[in-house]
Amino acid sequence: MNPVATQMSASRLQSAGSSVAPTGKAEPAALSIRDLHAWYGDSHVLHGVELTVNPGETICLLGRNGAGRTTTLRAVMGLTSARTGSIGVFGKEVIGLPQHHVARLGVGYCPEERGIFASLTTQENFLLPPDLPTRFPGFSIDEIHQLFPNLKARANSPGTRLSGGEQQMLAVARIFRTGARLLLLDEISEGLAPVIVQALGRAIKELKKKGFSVLLAEQNFRFSAKLADRFYVMERGKIVLEIERSELGNKQAELNELLGV
Amino acid sequence: MAEIFGIPVPLLLGQLMLGLMNGAFYAMLSLGLAVIFGLMDEVNFAHGAFFMMGAMFAWMGGQYFHLGFWWMLLLAPLAVGLFGLLVERLMLRRLRGMDPIYGLLLTFGLTLLIEGLFRTFFGVAGSPYNPPALLGGTLNLGFMYLPTYYVFAMAASLAACFGTWFLIERTKLGSYLRAGTENPALVQAFGINFPLLVMLTFAFGSALAGLAGVLAAPIIQVSPLMGSNLIIVVFAIVVIGGMGSVMGAIVSGLALGVIEGLTKVFYAPISSTVVFILMALVLTVRPAGLFGKEK
Ligand SMILES: Nc1ncnc2c1ncn2[C@@H]1O[C@H](COP(=O)(O)OP(=O)(O)OP(=O)(O)O)[C@@H](O)[C@H]1O
Ligand SMILES: [Mg+2]
């Protein structure tokens, strides 16, 4: 085993089920959420979420409609109206930071509604997110164009003229090149043709190879089953189940029941 | 003498030129308002006062510091921009997230304050401000004589409009601004300092009003009330063009200047109300304005 892999699996062991920050030489978790509560106005949506993404891990957040997956990601980005608890990003506490400082810790966010800007061309949308002060190489623009050739071909079209699939590619591609090393991807496979879903799946695997940490909020279990190292299931604003990839077989029934499939 | 609809051609062309010049000023002023509104959802009522400040600063620079037109063309917009920056940073920012009506009230109050201060010190009589010697004469356009300065002012206003358009539509900074106009939350989630962007945009819009003021100083009497006379027309133009649209502000500014000029020739009694008649018409047909999008 190479030293990096050893270190990673060690830190994974350490954080499994424990909220103690890794000590010594171990890297801090990419994302460490503890007792997170979040609100939209008066409505209390998250009720004590606990979740960890270790460096290099791809984690999937599952749950039924309205379980609170989107809200969890939005709370990390500071997009809910209020939040309490603790959100550590690479060892730094995010709660209390100004909104635009979260990304600078190395976070890339792809919102559920994709957030493609109509008044920007595809190329402008792609280049919009500024480079972050992380020194993480991520992908080069050429590598991204190889993953998603359409984006290059349609560089000068207004962003919202792209097909739904192309818009989704654009929404993820633009956070691959900024130096973000923790990506929060909300429902990226939803409602897309199988070829596009496959292309996105390939891209997620590439992310893993490059050492990105990824948190996928997904309803599509089949899409995430092939990609994630670990799964969390949410219900009514709480994590109700955590499953390692290796346990998938044993816990399939429990999972199916929670997801209502 | 050649005539069109019984109107002598030189008269027609003359009003067309004057209309275009007024239109260029309308365009520059409504552009500043539109950019600010797009990003902040805020109607800057003090825009007319900023215009007046630009002209007054130009006049004061000459009067008290012997700084000529060219110096003030640079310094006055900077000073007004800086003032705008402070207004945003110290006052408007605190109102963010509240009903935009508070911002409107604040800038309205600010207008009264600024105009009142200038009236106290300089009265309302107004003073002439001479164009620089270089632009002093008249220019023979073949069909009419036009003061050289008018041609310069028109060209400079159009250049400022085009420069702003270029900045917003064709540069990276402009893409931040356009994106921020659409979805401020996401722009912040990407790590862009949105409050800074808002502050700079407000300062820029203010500076543009100040620049219009300096350019207008040699054309209209410089007085503390010059802004309030003009700004109502500019508001109507912004409403016609559509709040927040850059091209819309430029095109409707120019077009309404020309329409106003031609109305003077064809049916003078409504020349000062034609803009408002058009505004009422546009509002009934397209409430978001000719170039605006429904929010
Ligand atoms: N802007 C909002 N204001 C008030 N309540 C909201 C808002 N957005 C979401 N909610 C509520 O918060 C709860 C969690 O929503 P969330 O969007 O996080 O769910 P989700 O797990 O992403 O599900 P899905 O994406 O399938 O809708 C839901 O009950 C939803 O109705
Ligand atoms: Mg969701």
Side-chain angles (χ1 to χ4, degrees):
Chain A
M1 237 185 195
N2 72 49
V4 177
T6 326
Q7 197 186 4
M8 263 165 44
S9 58
S11 72
R12 187 177 307 167
L13 279 178
Q14 207 168 22
S15 77
S18 110
S19 66
V20 182
T23 49
K25 278 180 73 181
E27 290 180 74
L31 179 65
S32 163
I33 298 180
R34 297 292 161 248
D35 193 28
L36 176 65
H37 292 251
W39 289 260
Y40 290 116
D42 288 336
S43 82
H44 187 172
V45 176
L46 298 185
H47 301 265
V49 174
E50 306 263 335
L51 171 161
T52 307
V53 181
N54 292 304
E57 266 187 325
T58 301
I59 299 296
C60 181
L61 189 54
L62 296 162
R64 299 193 209 201
N65 272 331
R69 288 160 296 152
T70 296
T71 308
T72 305
L73 303 196
R74 289 176 59 88
V76 174
M77 301 314 299
L79 299 174
T80 54
S81 46
R83 51 187 180 164
T84 63
S86 160
I87 302 171
V89 171
F90 298 108
K92 299 246 166 55
E93 179 58 53
V94 161
I95 291 184
L97 278 189
Q99 265 176 23
H100 62 274
H101 282 220
V102 181
R104 293 179 187 180
L105 300 175
V107 187
Y109 173 56
C110 174
E112 187 169 24
E113 67 284 0
R114 296 174 190 150
I116 301 302
F117 297 97
S119 55
L120 273 62
T121 65
T122 298
Q123 181 76 351
E124 284 176 327
N125 267 287
F126 180 54
L127 297 178
L128 183 77
D131 289 337
L132 305 172
T134 55
R135 279 193 248 126
F136 180 73
F139 284 86
S140 71
I141 291 178
D142 282 344
E143 286 171 320
I144 297 174
H145 281 148
Q146 271 166 25
L147 277 176
F148 305 119
N150 294 23
L151 297 185
K152 192 172 188 183
R154 306 217 46 194
N156 295 319
S157 314
T160 44
R161 289 279 172 77
L162 301 183
S163 71
E166 287 168 333
Q167 288 191 31
Q168 187 63 70
M169 291 176 183
L170 178 55
V172 294
R174 65 182 169 190
I175 51 173
F176 285 6
R177 43 147 276 275
T178 57
R181 51 200 182 119
L182 166 65
L183 302 188
L184 310 179
L185 309 179
D186 199 347
E187 222 79 69
I188 57 169
S189 71
E190 194 181 26
L192 297 178
V195 254
I196 312 259
V197 175
Q198 278 162 22
L200 289 166
R202 274 197 303 276
I204 305 290
K205 285 190 184 133
E206 290 296 317
L207 289 175
K208 195 170 172 61
K209 280 190 210 151
K210 293 250 183 196
F212 281 86
S213 313
V214 180
L215 180 58
L216 293 163
E218 272 296 331
Q219 260 203 307
N220 184 346
F221 176 67
R222 283 185 42 214
F223 174 69
S224 55
K226 295 180 216 128
L227 302 170
D229 302 310
R230 213 146 40 84
F231 302 82
Y232 287 99
V233 184
M234 282 195 96
E235 201 168 69
R236 287 191 216 100
K238 264 191 201 132
I239 302 288
V240 290
L241 185 65
E242 178 183 349
I243 311 179
E244 290 282 337
R245 189 183 176 73
S246 57
E247 304 170 305
L248 268 183
N250 295 338
K251 299 204 173 165
Q252 192 69 52
E254 199 179 343
L255 186 62
N256 285 350
E257 196 192 335
L258 280 170
L259 298 179
V261 287
Chain B
M1 200 189 257
E3 294 185 354
I4 297 176
F5 300 126
I7 313 272
V9 169
L11 179 62
L12 200 64
L13 288 175
Q15 283 303 335
L16 200 68
M17 288 308 289
L18 289 179
L20 261 180
M21 188 185 68
N22 281 334
F25 277 104
Y26 291 158
M28 202 176 1
L29 284 167
S30 49
L31 192 54
L33 272 179
V35 170
I36 289 171
F37 180 83
L39 197 63
M40 307 170 68
D41 274 339
E42 197 69 79
V43 178
N44 176 23
F45 205 93
H47 210 63
F50 291 171
F51 167 77
M52 176 272 286
M53 281 168 76
M56 287 298 293
F57 284 168
W59 178 81
M60 285 158 70
Q63 201 74 5
Y64 303 119
F65 304 102
H66 300 289
L67 289 171
F69 174 81
W70 299 109
W71 271 111
M72 293 322 288
L73 190 63
L74 180 74
L75 294 179
L78 278 180
V80 177
L82 185 68
F83 183 76
L85 188 134
L86 292 175
V87 167
E88 197 287 327
R89 182 66 190 81
L90 302 177
M91 299 183 231
L92 276 173
R93 181 172 295 189
R94 293 165 200 273
L95 302 180
R96 221 173 149 69
M98 293 198 208
D99 192 320
I101 195 76
Y102 289 101
L104 186 75
L105 286 174
L106 178 87
T107 49
F108 179 62
L110 208 59
T111 305
L112 296 179
L113 208 72
I114 296 170
E115 286 186 355
L117 274 176
F118 276 92
R119 276 168 79 162
T120 309
F121 287 107
F122 303 103
V124 288
S127 333
Y129 182 83
N130 290 326
L134 183 64
L135 303 171
T138 54
L139 218 58
N140 185 354
L141 298 182
F143 53 88
M144 68 180 295
Y145 288 92
L146 202 65
T148 311
Y149 182 78
Y150 283 27
V151 179
F152 167 79
M154 184 156 52
S157 309
L158 289 177
C161 288
F162 180 74
T164 306
W165 174 85
F166 185 86
L167 181 70
I168 294 174
E169 299 293 336
R170 290 288 179 271
T171 67
K172 178 91 190 185
L173 189 63
S175 74
Y176 287 172
L177 193 130
R178 275 174 285 144
T181 300
E182 276 186 55
N183 188 344
L186 186 57
V187 158
Q188 300 214 73
F190 286 151
I192 295 166
N193 188 341
F194 187 72
L196 181 67
L197 193 64
V198 165
M199 187 170 81
L200 293 180
T201 302
F202 195 85
F204 181 80
S206 311
L208 216 50
L211 178 64
V214 185
L215 286 172
I219 298 174
I220 50 179
Q221 286 271 315
V222 176
S223 100
L225 298 181
M226 65 192 278
S228 40
N229 298 336
L230 189 62
I231 201 64
I232 302 299
V233 179
V234 173
F235 274 129
I237 290 170
V238 173
V239 171
I240 293 172
M243 291 291 215
S245 156
V246 172
M247 236 341 159
I250 297 177
V251 171
S252 47
L254 283 172
L256 285 156
V258 170
I259 290 172
E260 209 182 48
L262 293 182
T263 316
K264 284 199 184 106
V265 186
F266 288 107
Y267 191 62
I270 61 161
S271 68
S272 57
T273 40
V274 65
V275 170
F276 300 99
I277 297 171
L278 286 173
M279 178 181 84
L281 277 176
V282 167
L283 278 179
T284 47
V285 188
R286 273 187 72 103
L290 294 179
F291 299 84
K293 291 183 207 82
E294 313 273 345
K295 279 215 172 178

Coordinates of all heavy atoms in Angstrom, one line a residue, chain A residues 77 79 99-100 103-104 109 111 115 117-120 124 127-130 132 174-175, chain B residues 169-172 175-176 178-179 182-183 185-195:
Chain A
M77 N -22.8 26.1 2.4 CA -22.5 27.3 1.7 C -23.0 28.6 2.3 O -22.8 29.7 1.8 CB -23.1 27.2 0.2 CG -22.6 26.1 -0.6 SD -20.8 25.7 -0.5 CE -20.1 27.2 -1.2
L79 N -26.3 29.4 2.7 CA -27.4 29.8 1.9 C -28.8 29.6 2.6 O -29.8 29.7 2.0 CB -27.4 29.2 0.5 CG -26.2 29.5 -0.4 CD1 -26.2 28.7 -1.6 CD2 -26.1 31.0 -0.7
Q99 N -20.3 34.8 3.6 CA -20.6 33.8 2.5 C -19.5 33.5 1.5 O -19.3 32.4 1.1 CB -21.9 34.3 1.8 CG -23.2 33.7 2.4 CD -24.4 34.2 1.7 OE1 -24.4 34.7 0.6 NE2 -25.5 34.2 2.4
H100 N -18.9 34.6 1.1 CA -17.9 34.4 0.0 C -16.6 33.8 0.5 O -15.7 33.5 -0.4 CB -17.7 35.7 -0.8 CG -17.2 36.8 0.0 ND1 -17.9 37.7 0.7 CD2 -15.9 37.2 0.2 CE1 -17.2 38.5 1.3 NE2 -15.9 38.3 1.0
A103 N -16.2 29.3 -0.2 CA -15.5 28.7 -1.3 C -14.0 28.8 -1.2 O -13.3 27.9 -1.7 CB -16.0 29.5 -2.6
R104 N -13.5 29.9 -0.7 CA -12.1 30.1 -0.6 C -11.3 29.0 0.2 O -10.1 28.9 0.1 CB -11.8 31.5 -0.1 CG -12.2 32.5 -1.1 CD -12.0 33.9 -0.6 NE -12.6 34.8 -1.5 CZ -12.6 36.1 -1.4 NH1 -12.0 36.7 -0.4 NH2 -13.2 36.9 -2.3
Y109 N -19.5 24.4 -5.4 CA -20.9 24.0 -5.2 C -21.6 24.0 -6.5 O -21.6 25.0 -7.3 CB -21.5 25.1 -4.2 CG -22.9 25.0 -4.0 CD1 -23.5 23.8 -3.6 CD2 -23.8 26.1 -4.2 CE1 -24.9 23.7 -3.3 CE2 -25.1 26.0 -4.0 CZ -25.7 24.8 -3.6 OH -27.0 24.8 -3.4
P111 N -25.4 23.8 -7.5 CA -26.8 23.8 -6.9 C -27.7 22.9 -7.7 O -27.5 22.6 -8.9 CB -27.2 25.2 -7.0 CG -26.4 25.8 -8.2 CD -25.1 25.0 -8.2
G115 N -28.1 26.6 -11.7 CA -27.5 28.0 -11.6 C -26.7 28.4 -12.8 O -25.7 29.1 -12.7
F117 N -26.2 30.9 -15.8 CA -26.6 32.3 -15.9 C -27.0 32.6 -17.4 O -26.2 32.3 -18.3 CB -25.4 33.3 -15.5 CG -25.1 33.1 -14.1 CD1 -24.0 32.3 -13.7 CD2 -25.8 33.8 -13.1 CE1 -23.7 32.2 -12.4 CE2 -25.5 33.7 -11.8 CZ -24.4 32.9 -11.4
A118 N -28.2 33.1 -17.5 CA -28.7 33.4 -18.9 C -28.0 34.5 -19.6 O -27.8 34.5 -20.8 CB -30.2 33.7 -18.8
S119 N -27.5 35.5 -18.8 CA -26.8 36.6 -19.5 C -25.4 36.4 -19.7 O -24.7 37.3 -20.2 CB -27.0 37.9 -18.6 OG -26.6 37.6 -17.3
L120 N -24.9 35.1 -19.5 CA -23.5 34.8 -19.7 C -23.4 33.7 -20.8 O -24.3 32.8 -20.8 CB -22.8 34.3 -18.5 CG -22.2 35.3 -17.5 CD1 -23.2 36.3 -17.0 CD2 -21.5 34.6 -16.4
E124 N -18.3 32.1 -20.6 CA -18.3 33.0 -19.5 C -18.8 32.3 -18.2 O -18.3 32.4 -17.1 CB -19.2 34.2 -19.7 CG -18.5 35.2 -20.6 CD -19.4 36.4 -21.0 OE1 -20.7 36.2 -21.1 OE2 -18.9 37.5 -21.1
L127 N -16.0 30.1 -17.0 CA -14.9 30.8 -16.4 C -15.3 31.7 -15.2 O -14.4 32.3 -14.6 CB -14.1 31.6 -17.4 CG -13.5 30.8 -18.6 CD1 -12.9 31.7 -19.6 CD2 -12.5 29.8 -18.0
L128 N -16.6 31.7 -14.9 CA -17.0 32.6 -13.9 C -16.4 32.4 -12.5 O -15.9 33.3 -11.9 CB -18.6 32.6 -13.8 CG -19.1 33.6 -12.7 CD1 -19.1 35.0 -13.3 CD2 -20.5 33.3 -12.3
P129 N -16.5 31.2 -11.9 CA -16.0 31.0 -10.6 C -14.5 31.3 -10.5 O -13.7 30.7 -11.3 CB -16.3 29.5 -10.3 CG -17.3 29.1 -11.2 CD -17.1 29.9 -12.5
P130 N -14.1 32.2 -9.6 CA -12.7 32.6 -9.6 C -11.8 31.5 -9.0 O -12.3 30.6 -8.3 CB -12.7 33.8 -8.7 CG -14.0 33.8 -8.0 CD -15.0 33.0 -8.7
L132 N -9.4 29.7 -6.6 CA -9.4 29.8 -5.2 C -7.9 29.6 -4.6 O -7.1 29.0 -5.3 CB -10.3 28.7 -4.6 CG -11.7 28.7 -5.2 CD1 -12.4 27.4 -4.7 CD2 -12.4 29.9 -4.7
R174 N -17.6 23.8 -14.3 CA -17.0 25.1 -13.9 C -16.4 25.1 -12.5 O -15.6 26.0 -12.2 CB -18.0 26.2 -14.0 CG -19.2 26.1 -13.1 CD -20.2 27.3 -13.3 NE -21.4 27.0 -12.6 CZ -22.5 27.7 -12.8 NH1 -22.6 28.7 -13.6 NH2 -23.6 27.4 -12.1
I175 N -16.7 24.1 -11.7 CA -16.1 24.0 -10.4 C -15.0 23.0 -10.3 O -14.4 22.8 -9.3 CB -17.1 23.8 -9.2 CG1 -17.9 22.6 -9.6 CG2 -18.0 25.0 -9.0 CD1 -18.8 22.1 -8.4
Chain B
E169 N -20.5 43.9 -20.7 CA -20.9 42.8 -21.5 C -19.7 42.0 -22.0 O -19.8 40.9 -22.5 CB -21.7 43.3 -22.7 CG -23.0 44.0 -22.4 CD -24.0 43.0 -21.8 OE1 -23.9 41.8 -22.0 OE2 -24.9 43.5 -21.1
R170 N -18.5 42.6 -21.9 CA -17.4 41.9 -22.6 C -16.2 41.6 -21.7 O -15.2 41.1 -22.1 CB -16.9 42.7 -23.8 CG -17.8 42.8 -24.9 CD -17.8 41.4 -25.7 NE -18.8 41.5 -26.8 CZ -20.1 41.1 -26.7 NH1 -20.6 40.8 -25.5 NH2 -20.8 41.2 -27.8
T171 N -16.2 42.0 -20.4 CA -15.0 41.7 -19.6 C -15.4 40.7 -18.4 O -16.6 40.5 -18.2 CB -14.5 43.0 -18.9 OG1 -15.5 43.5 -18.0 CG2 -14.2 44.1 -19.9
K172 N -14.4 40.2 -17.8 CA -14.5 39.3 -16.7 C -15.3 39.9 -15.5 O -16.2 39.4 -15.0 CB -13.1 38.8 -16.2 CG -13.1 37.9 -15.1 CD -13.2 36.5 -15.5 CE -13.4 35.6 -14.3 NZ -13.3 34.2 -14.6
S175 N -18.8 40.1 -16.2 CA -19.5 38.8 -16.1 C -19.9 38.6 -14.6 O -20.9 38.0 -14.4 CB -18.7 37.7 -16.7 OG -17.6 37.3 -15.9
Y176 N -19.0 39.1 -13.7 CA -19.4 39.0 -12.3 C -20.7 39.8 -12.0 O -21.6 39.4 -11.3 CB -18.3 39.5 -11.4 CG -17.1 38.7 -11.3 CD1 -15.9 39.1 -10.6 CD2 -17.0 37.4 -11.8 CE1 -14.8 38.4 -10.5 CE2 -15.9 36.6 -11.7 CZ -14.8 37.1 -11.0 OH -13.7 36.3 -10.9
R178 N -23.0 40.8 -14.2 CA -24.2 40.2 -14.8 C -24.7 39.0 -14.0 O -25.9 38.8 -13.8 CB -23.9 39.8 -16.3 CG -24.0 40.9 -17.3 CD -23.6 40.5 -18.6 NE -22.2 40.4 -18.7 CZ -21.5 39.5 -19.5 NH1 -22.2 38.5 -20.1 NH2 -20.2 39.5 -19.5
A179 N -23.7 38.2 -13.6 CA -24.1 37.0 -12.8 C -24.7 37.4 -11.5 O -25.7 36.9 -11.0 CB -22.9 36.1 -12.6
E182 N -28.2 38.4 -11.7 CA -29.1 37.2 -11.8 C -29.3 36.5 -10.5 O -30.4 36.1 -10.2 CB -28.7 36.3 -12.9 CG -29.0 36.6 -14.3 CD -28.6 35.5 -15.3 OE1 -29.0 34.4 -15.1 OE2 -27.9 35.8 -16.3
N183 N -28.2 36.2 -9.9 CA -28.2 35.2 -8.8 C -27.1 35.6 -7.8 O -26.1 34.9 -7.8 CB -28.1 33.8 -9.3 CG -28.3 32.8 -8.3 OD1 -28.3 33.1 -7.0 ND2 -28.5 31.5 -8.7
A185 N -26.7 35.0 -4.7 CA -26.3 34.0 -3.7 C -25.3 33.0 -4.3 O -24.3 32.7 -3.7 CB -27.6 33.2 -3.2
L186 N -25.5 32.7 -5.5 CA -24.6 31.7 -6.2 C -23.3 32.3 -6.4 O -22.2 31.7 -6.3 CB -25.2 31.2 -7.5 CG -24.4 30.1 -8.2 CD1 -24.2 28.9 -7.2 CD2 -25.1 29.6 -9.4
V187 N -23.3 33.6 -6.8 CA -22.0 34.3 -7.1 C -21.2 34.3 -5.8 O -20.0 34.1 -5.8 CB -22.4 35.7 -7.6 CG1 -21.2 36.7 -7.3 CG2 -22.7 35.7 -9.1
Q188 N -21.8 34.5 -4.7 CA -21.1 34.5 -3.4 C -20.6 33.1 -3.1 O -19.5 32.9 -2.6 CB -22.0 34.9 -2.2 CG -22.5 36.3 -2.4 CD -22.6 37.0 -1.1 OE1 -21.6 37.4 -0.5 NE2 -23.8 37.2 -0.6
A189 N -21.4 32.1 -3.4 CA -21.0 30.7 -3.2 C -19.8 30.3 -4.0 O -19.1 29.4 -3.7 CB -22.2 29.7 -3.5
F190 N -19.6 31.0 -5.1 CA -18.4 30.8 -5.9 C -17.1 31.5 -5.3 O -16.0 31.4 -5.8 CB -18.6 31.2 -7.3 CG -19.4 30.3 -8.1 CD1 -20.2 30.8 -9.2 CD2 -19.5 29.0 -7.8 CE1 -21.0 30.0 -9.9 CE2 -20.3 28.1 -8.6 CZ -21.0 28.6 -9.6
G191 N -17.3 32.3 -4.3 CA -16.2 33.0 -3.6 C -16.0 34.4 -4.1 O -15.0 35.0 -3.8
I192 N -17.0 34.9 -4.8 CA -16.9 36.3 -5.3 C -17.4 37.2 -4.2 O -18.4 37.0 -3.6 CB -17.7 36.5 -6.6 CG1 -17.0 35.7 -7.7 CG2 -17.7 38.0 -7.0 CD1 -17.9 35.5 -8.9
N193 N -16.6 38.3 -3.9 CA -17.0 39.2 -2.8 C -18.1 40.1 -3.3 O -17.9 41.2 -3.9 CB -15.8 40.0 -2.4 CG -16.0 40.9 -1.2 OD1 -17.1 41.1 -0.8 ND2 -14.9 41.3 -0.6
F194 N -19.4 39.7 -3.1 CA -20.5 40.4 -3.6 C -20.7 41.8 -3.0 O -20.9 42.8 -3.7 CB -21.8 39.6 -3.5 CG -23.0 40.1 -4.1 CD1 -23.1 40.2 -5.5 CD2 -24.0 40.7 -3.4 CE1 -24.2 40.7 -6.1 CE2 -25.1 41.2 -4.0 CZ -25.2 41.2 -5.4
P195 N -20.5 41.9 -1.7 CA -20.7 43.3 -1.1 C -19.7 44.3 -1.8 O -20.0 45.4 -2.0 CB -20.3 43.1 0.4 CG -20.7 41.6 0.6 CD -20.4 40.9 -0.7

